[in-house]
Amino acid sequence: MTHLSADNSGPGQGLFDGTHGPAAALGWSGLTDVQFIANSVGILLLATLLGALIGYHPASRRTIDGLHEADMPHVYVMYAVIGAVIGVAVREFGTVVGVVVFGIGGLIRFRSATDSTRDTVRLIIVTLVGLTAGLGLLHFAVIITLFTFALIYVFDTSPPYRIRVEGMAKDRTGSSAEVYRGILKGHGCSIIAEHHSLEKARIEFVFRLPRRSTRDRLDVELRSIAADLRGEVDWEVG
């Protein structure tokens, strides 16, 4: 009859010892591991670049019709970062952590009650941060948090908007579109998509508003357009 040997592991041993990953890399002491930090940041940057390369494909602009499509490139980038986080966790700290991280992230993705994909992605990110911190991967949790904080700052600097202008004279739709387009560009807006409907006398613009401007200032100027070219503006905020 075979007997199981006693567990002689000391207090410094645990889940991440041996084949599960380097226990010495856990805790706040990991913040002094310059090589790991540089490597992790490099991987996150590469994932961001590759995700952006796909998300901001020039051909995708032709299919943008609303704010959801306009915000999808940011979502692609964030999901690329999530994949990189899981990859680093698997490589550095063992498959056990990777499976747990992947499983919880997937559960939140499909069970989340959030209305927007962007909010769901951020919910997954903060859960990964909490999980890695709880597992003792404190330095990696800090890296993920700072990197995500920077990405959100960049992405939310220019939020997407959509305006729908209706009630114009049909024979002036083209001229009205030029006026509205000029005002948007004058405010430094990046126009993502523009749609005209001559039959319905309607124009739509999907754009990003820069930090130096505000919706209120832009709305005031849009309302100051000459009456014969002005329509009723309906705003949609991303």
Side-chain angles (χ1 to χ4, degrees):
M1 180 175 181
T2 304
H3 297 279
L4 296 177
S5 59
D7 184 4
N8 297 322
S9 60
Q13 294 178 314
L15 175 63
F16 301 100
D17 292 331
T19 60
H20 293 290
L26 304 181
W28 292 115
S29 61
L31 290 174
T32 61
D33 189 347
V34 178
Q35 182 178 357
F36 173 81
I37 293 175
N39 186 55
S40 298
V41 172
I43 291 174
L44 294 177
L45 286 173
L46 178 60
T48 300
L49 177 61
L50 297 178
L53 189 64
I54 296 174
Y56 289 95
H57 194 287
S60 299
R61 296 177 66 92
R62 300 179 180 179
T63 63
I64 293 177
D65 187 45
L67 293 181
H68 174 72
E69 292 89 349
D71 214 34
M72 282 308 295
H74 294 175
V75 174
Y76 293 147
V77 171
M78 295 297 285
Y79 268 118
V81 171
I82 290 173
V85 169
I86 296 174
V88 172
V90 170
R91 188 192 66 187
E92 296 292 333
F93 305 108
T95 55
V96 173
V97 175
V99 170
V100 172
V101 170
F102 184 81
I104 292 180
L107 179 64
I108 293 175
R109 173 65 183 88
F110 294 105
R111 295 293 183 180
S112 172
T114 56
D115 295 329
S116 71
T117 306
R118 180 182 60 184
D119 292 339
T120 300
V121 171
R122 294 182 182 181
L123 183 59
I124 294 175
I125 284 285
V126 297
T127 303
L128 295 181
V129 169
L131 179 62
T132 53
L135 289 170
L137 316 178
L138 305 183
H139 55 315
F140 192 41
V142 171
I143 293 172
I144 300 169
T145 301
L146 294 178
F147 193 86
T148 305
F149 182 90
L151 279 181
I152 292 175
Y153 179 82
V154 172
F155 290 161
D156 286 2
T157 295
S158 301
Y161 291 88
R162 180 172 71 169
I163 59 172
R164 176 180 297 173
V165 187
E166 298 178 307
M168 303 164 293
K170 290 185 178 181
D171 59 342
R172 292 183 177 269
T173 302
S175 300
S176 297
E178 291 181 7
V179 174
Y180 278 95
R181 188 187 311 112
I183 292 177
L184 292 175
K185 290 184 177 180
H187 275 255
C189 298
S190 174
I191 299 177
I192 302 172
E194 178 179 343
H195 303 283
H196 297 184
S197 177
L198 298 179
E199 294 181 357
K200 299 180 180 179
R202 181 177 65 198
I203 56 177
E204 295 182 5
F205 291 94
V206 179
F207 60 93
R208 292 193 179 278
L209 188 66
R211 176 179 293 274
R212 63 182 178 86
S213 184
T214 64
R215 173 183 169 179
D216 291 337
R217 287 172 51 195
L218 178 57
D219 190 52
V220 168
E221 190 165 350
L222 293 177
R223 293 179 184 276
S224 68
I225 295 175
D228 59 336
L229 295 174
R230 187 175 66 242
E232 293 295 327
V233 178
D234 181 30
W235 284 81
E236 184 180 351
V237 183

